[in-house]
Amino acid sequence: MTNEELLSNATLQSMKQVLGRFDKGLADLSDADFQKRVSPGRNRLYYLLGHLTAVHDRLLPLLFIGERLHPELDEAFITSPDGSASDSVSVAELRKAWTEINARLTAALERFSPEDWLHRHAAVSEEDFAADPTRNRLAVVISRTNHLSFHTGQFVLAK
Amino acid sequence: MTNEELLSNATLQSMKQVLGRFDKGLADLSDADFQKRVSPGRNRLYYLLGHLTAVHDRLLPLLFIGERLHPELDEAFITSPDGSASDSVSVAELRKAWTEINARLTAALERFSPEDWLHRHAAVSEEDFAADPTRNRLAVVISRTNHLSFHTGQFVLAK
């Protein structure tokens, strides 16, 4: 590997590792466990899984990988806080969407060259990106990996 | 910036951002708040701050930056679980150590060239590193940033 490949590969490996740990935790939970809260009065695991699934689905267009697979999740899991809507999506459906989205995402990221990683993300204009090239796809993936770690820390408390 | 600099800089910026958010949360807490638990029966904020401080102190030799500043923290905050020892360190002392260690750490990392980031970390031998160059300092910093994000997710629950 070149130095550039080593540098960008570290972010991909980190994302896959954090995803792998989270998925191991998911596999140990029954569907009923998803009604548990991470702490009294806080989010249910059901809501957190929906939230993470919607956020990762948004990465597909944000990283110019493709169209969203599940835009219908935003209303219940991003726009609204936990408990404000009826649970219209089953845990089985959330598990399936989570797996599909991350498989799509990691398959695309594994084909990225260092130059691909340094390409702008879709929420910044070409003009703004020219002035600040740190607003790239690598920065987005690092940020979302930290976001997943943040909620993984909460997830483990409900065990 | 060169491509290599953009790629390695993203990790440093991420670490500084996660540290900045954690420190903002710390600033809002009274010393008495550190007795709160992140969830019933789980760690106190006091223990988590000590744990993170010890782990970041260990980064100094692990990244070949220098000697540890507070090796005495390991016994209470890494070797032992919360509640097994008397609270021999004050919250004020922990806050001070946390700030000193991270100032030392980030000042050193800001001087790293891309080649410095790709240097082996101290827990891998030169021989093993030659066989697997992904065991570098960049990978360690990414991993510890995710670790800090993981516990930040817990910290915010005690508010």
Side-chain angles (χ1 to χ4, degrees), chain A residues 3-4 6-7 10 14 18 38-40 42 115 118 133-134 138 142 145-146 149-150 152-154 156-157 159, chain B residues 1 3-4 6-8 10 14 18 38-40 42 115 118 138 142 145-146 149-150 152-154 156-157 159:
Chain A
N3 279 0
E4 289 188 12
L6 278 166
L7 291 165
S14 158
V18 172
V38 300
S39 190
R42 300 292 185 156
E115 290 70 28
L118 293 175
T134 68
L138 186 75
I142 292 174
T145 303
N146 279 307
S149 294
F150 180 96
T152 302
Q154 301 177 333
V156 299
L157 296 175
K159 265 187 190 163
Chain B
M1 279 199 273
N3 279 359
E4 288 187 12
L6 278 166
L7 291 165
S8 54
S14 158
V18 172
V38 301
S39 189
R42 300 293 184 153
E115 290 69 29
L118 292 176
L138 185 75
I142 292 173
T145 302
N146 278 307
S149 294
F150 180 96
T152 301
Q154 301 178 331
V156 300
L157 296 174
K159 268 186 188 163

Side-chain angles (χ1 to χ4, degrees), chain B residues 80-135:
Chain B
S80 311
D82 191 11
S84 60
S86 62
D87 296 349
S88 54
V89 189
S90 71
V91 172
E93 286 168 326
L94 282 184
R95 286 185 193 264
K96 186 161 173 280
W98 172 252
T99 302
E100 281 174 354
I101 290 162
N102 288 302
R104 180 86 203 280
L105 201 55
T106 52
L109 298 180
E110 278 171 349
R111 288 190 299 267
F112 274 19
S113 69
E115 290 69 29
D116 290 333
W117 282 105
L118 292 176
H119 189 280
R120 73 177 174 96
H121 62 70
V124 63
S125 69
E126 297 202 19
E127 191 181 11
D128 289 347
F129 180 66
D132 182 4
T134 69
R135 301 175 71 178

Side-chain angles (χ1 to χ4, degrees), chain A residues 20 27-28 35 37 40 45-46 48 60 69 71 74 76-78 87 99 112 114 116 119 122:
Chain A
D28 290 340
Q35 294 305 317
R37 294 181 187 280
L45 300 189
Y46 172 78
L48 278 188
L60 298 173
L69 300 178
D74 286 16
F77 298 110
I78 291 187
D87 295 348
T99 302
F112 274 18
D116 290 334
H119 188 280

Side-chain angles (χ1 to χ4, degrees), chain A residues 65-90:
Chain A
I65 290 171
E67 295 292 310
R68 293 191 60 174
L69 300 178
H70 293 283
E72 76 282 0
L73 296 176
D74 286 16
E75 174 59 31
F77 298 110
I78 291 187
T79 312
S80 312
D82 191 12
S84 60
S86 62
D87 295 348
S88 55
V89 188
S90 72

Side-chain angles (χ1 to χ4, degrees), chain A residues 10-57:
Chain A
T11 291
L12 176 60
Q13 293 314 312
S14 158
M15 195 203 194
K16 287 166 69 175
Q17 185 179 54
V18 172
L19 274 172
R21 284 184 197 148
F22 183 83
D23 286 347
K24 202 166 172 297
L26 276 194
D28 290 340
L29 296 170
S30 70
D31 286 6
D33 285 336
F34 283 82
Q35 294 305 317
K36 292 186 186 170
R37 294 181 187 280
V38 300
S39 190
R42 300 292 185 156
N43 291 324
R44 289 172 300 159
L45 300 189
Y46 172 78
Y47 182 83
L48 278 188
L49 179 59
H51 172 70
L52 288 166
T53 305
V55 167
H56 282 221
D57 193 46

